[in-house]
C-alpha cells in the first residue's frame, strides 16, 4: 500500500511540474505576442551570411552606422538620436543578430568577428562606403572589431559608454543573463526568463539608467517591451557568454587601430566603469578623443541625445576633415 501511495505522489509531482512548465511556456508566448503586437518592425530587412537583419535607414549625407548594446535594439537610437542627426547624415541603425527583429543567433554567430561581418555585409549591401561607426555599450566592442577587421572601410569610431575590456563581474542588472550552457540558456528563454524579466524589469532598468530616471515612454518609444520575448533573452545571454572569451582576444589588438577614435562616457555610469574602459584604450591609442558627460549614466543615446549628437558630429569632423560637417 505504501508503495502505491509513493508512486501516486511521484506521479502527481511530475504532473504538477509539467503543468507549471506548460503554464510558463504559454505565458512566455503570450507576453512575446503582446510585445510584438505593440511594437512591430519599424524598418526594413536585409539578408546576410548570418541571417536577416532588421534596420532603419534615414537622412542623407555622410554615413553613420549605429550598433546598440547588450539586450538592446535599434530603438535606443530612434528614441531621439537619429532625429538629432538625420538632417546632416545618412543614419543606419541595425538590430544586432538575435536582437530586435533580426534573426535568432547562436554561439558562433554571437562571436564579435561574426557580428562585425554581418554588419559590414549589411552596410555594403545598402551601398554605404566608409561610415563613421557609432557603438553603444557592447555595440562599442562590435564597432572596435569592425575597425580591426575592415580598417580600410571604416572612417572612424564614435563609441558611447563602450564595452572595451573584460569586466570582473556581471552588473547586477544583467545577472539573470549569465548562463554558460547553451541548452540551459534555451530552456530558460522558453520558460522562466520572460516571466522573471517582467517581474524584475523595473529594478533592472533603474540600475541600467541610474543615476537618471527611466523615461516613462521607454517601453514603447525606446523599445523596452521587446525584451519580453524569448529570442531577446537568448540573444543577450548568448552575447554575454561569448564576450567572456572574445574580449581577452581583442584587447591586445587595439594598438593596431588606425582610424579616428573617440569615447564618450557618463561620469556616473553604473553598468561599465568609465576609467577601466577609457584607460584600456588610451594605453594603446593615446591620441583618442575622450568626453565625459557630467552627471550622466549609461544610457547616453536616450538620456543625453543632444550631447551625444554633438560628440558624434565632432568625431564625424575628424573622420571626414575635408567635409563641411559642423
Amino acid at each position: 500500500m505504501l508503495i502505491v501511495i509513493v508512486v501516486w505522489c511521484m506521479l502527481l509531482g511530475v504532473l504538477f511540474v509539467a503543468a507549471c512548465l506548460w503554464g510558463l511556456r504559454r505565458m512566455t508566448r503570450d507576453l512575446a505576442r503582446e510585445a510584438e503586437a505593440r511594437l512591430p518592425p519599424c524598418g526594413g530587412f536585409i539578408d546576410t551570411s548570418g541571417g536577416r537583419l532588421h534596420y532603419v535607414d534615414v537622412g542623407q549625407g555622410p554615413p553613420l552606422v549605429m550598433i546598440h548594446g547588450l539586450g538592446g535594439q535599434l530603438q535606443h537610437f530612434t528614441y531621439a538620436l537619429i532625429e538629432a542627426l538625420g538632417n546632416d547624415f545618412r543614419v543606419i541603425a541595425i538590430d544586432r543578430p538575435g536582437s530586435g527583429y533580426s534573426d535568432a543567433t547562436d554561439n558562433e554567430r554571437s562571436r564579435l568577428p561574426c557580428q562585425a561581418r554581418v554588419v559590414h555585409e549589411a552596410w555594403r549591401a545598402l551601398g554605404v562606403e566608409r561610415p563613421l561607426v557609432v557603438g553603444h555599450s557592447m555595440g562599442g566592442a562590435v564597432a572596435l572589431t569592425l575597425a580591426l577587421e575592415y580598417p580600410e572601410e571604416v572612417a572612424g569610431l564614435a563609441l558611447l559608454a563602450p564595452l572595451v575590456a573584460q569586466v570582473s563581474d556581471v552588473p547586477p542588472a544583467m545577472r539573470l543573463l549569465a548562463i554558460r550552457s547553451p541548452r540551459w540558456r534555451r530552456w530558460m528563454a522558453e520558460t522562466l526568463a520572460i516571466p522573471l524579466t517582467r517581474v524584475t524589469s523595473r529594478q533592472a532598468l533603474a540600475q541600467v539608467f541610474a543615476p537618471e530616471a527611466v523615461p516613462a515612454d521607454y517601453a514603447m518609444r525606446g523599445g523596452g517591451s521587446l525584451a519580453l520575448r524569448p529570442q531577446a533573452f537568448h540573444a543577450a545571454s548568448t552575447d554575454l557568454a561569448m564576450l567572456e572569451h572574445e574580449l581577452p582576444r581583442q584587447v591586445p589588438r587595439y594598438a593596431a587601430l588606425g582610424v579616428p577614435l573617440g569615447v564618450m562616457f557618463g561620469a556616473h555610469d553604473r553598468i561599465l566603469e568609465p576609467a577601466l574602459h577609457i584607460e584600456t584604450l588610451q594605453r594603446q591609442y593615446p591620441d583618442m578623443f575622450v568626453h565625459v558627460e557630467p552627471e550622466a549614466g549609461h544610457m547616453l543615446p536616450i538620456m543625453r541625445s543632444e550631447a551625444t549628437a554633438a560628440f558624434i558630429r565632432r568625431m564625424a569632423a575628424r573622420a571626414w576633415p575635408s567635409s563641411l560637417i559642423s
Side-chain angles (χ1 to χ4, degrees):
M1 183 66 178
L2 180 60
I3 293 175
V4 174
I5 293 173
V6 170
V7 170
W8 271 105
C9 288
M10 291 176 63
L11 179 60
L12 288 173
V14 169
L15 291 173
F16 176 76
V17 170
C20 289
L21 290 175
W22 179 85
L24 288 168
R25 288 177 183 272
R26 181 171 180 176
M27 181 183 295
T28 295
R29 290 194 299 268
D30 289 345
L31 288 170
R33 280 196 292 264
E34 180 182 347
E36 290 169 354
R38 295 176 68 195
L39 285 171
C42 58
F45 292 89
I46 194 161
D47 291 322
T48 74
S49 62
R52 192 173 67 155
L53 297 187
H54 177 233
Y55 71 96
V56 296
D57 183 354
V58 300
Q60 294 183 342
L64 309 177
V65 171
M66 296 189 168
I67 309 170
H68 64 80
L70 184 77
Q73 24 64 42
L74 61 79
Q75 285 186 239
H76 286 182
F77 299 118
T78 61
Y79 185 92
L81 190 55
I82 285 180
E83 183 179 357
L85 294 165
N87 289 334
D88 300 304
F89 298 91
R90 181 184 178 187
V91 187
I92 298 166
I94 296 173
D95 278 334
R96 290 190 297 101
S99 301
Y101 281 99
S102 290
D103 280 352
T105 190
D106 55 28
N107 280 15
E108 178 61 25
R109 286 180 289 174
S110 287
R111 295 184 59 238
L112 289 176
C114 296
Q115 295 208 34
R117 184 181 68 246
V118 298
V119 171
H120 176 249
E121 288 176 10
W123 89 49
R124 290 292 300 272
L126 292 169
V128 171
E129 295 183 1
R130 297 191 71 250
L132 175 71
V133 182
V134 179
H136 176 232
S137 197
M138 180 189 161
V142 178
L144 284 161
T145 308
L146 279 158
L148 290 167
E149 298 292 329
Y150 309 99
E152 301 301 320
E153 299 186 54
V154 173
L157 298 178
L159 306 182
L160 313 173
L163 176 65
V164 171
Q166 186 68 30
V167 297
S168 59
D169 195 16
V170 177
M174 299 177 181
R175 284 179 185 162
L176 182 61
L177 299 168
I179 304 172
R180 288 191 171 93
S181 166
R183 185 171 298 178
W184 178 240
R185 190 183 306 139
R186 176 65 67 186
W187 185 87
M188 279 289 292
E190 294 175 354
T191 55
L192 288 170
I194 303 308
L196 283 174
T197 298
R198 189 182 189 188
V199 172
T200 61
S201 61
R202 182 173 297 182
Q203 180 181 3
L205 285 174
Q207 295 169 4
V208 171
F209 278 84
E212 299 162 298
V214 182
D217 59 358
Y218 174 70
M220 291 295 293
R221 184 176 167 189
S225 290
L226 292 178
L228 296 176
R229 301 160 67 229
Q231 174 181 319
F233 177 89
H234 182 266
S237 181
T238 304
D239 285 342
L240 188 62
M242 290 303 100
L243 286 169
E244 182 178 1
H245 307 287
E246 295 293 304
L247 282 172
R249 297 189 191 116
Q250 179 152 297
V251 170
R253 301 180 63 197
Y254 293 152
L257 287 166
V259 301
L261 168 62
V263 172
M264 178 180 180
F265 256 103
H268 299 291
D269 192 318
R270 296 182 188 174
I271 298 300
L272 297 175
E273 171 56 44
L276 168 65
H277 299 279
I278 291 172
E279 291 169 9
T280 297
L281 272 177
Q282 264 184 333
R283 281 194 293 269
Q284 300 189 64
Y285 198 113
D287 294 331
M288 75 179 191
F289 173 69
V290 177
H291 172 71
V292 177
E293 183 70 9
E295 308 303 323
H298 187 66
M299 296 301 284
L300 296 169
I302 291 176
M303 303 305 299
R304 299 299 174 98
S305 59
E306 290 186 6
T308 301
F311 166 75
I312 291 170
R313 289 178 185 278
R314 182 161 186 168
M315 290 312 303
R318 293 188 174 204
W320 301 294
S322 60
S323 71
L324 298 178
I325 299 167
S326 60

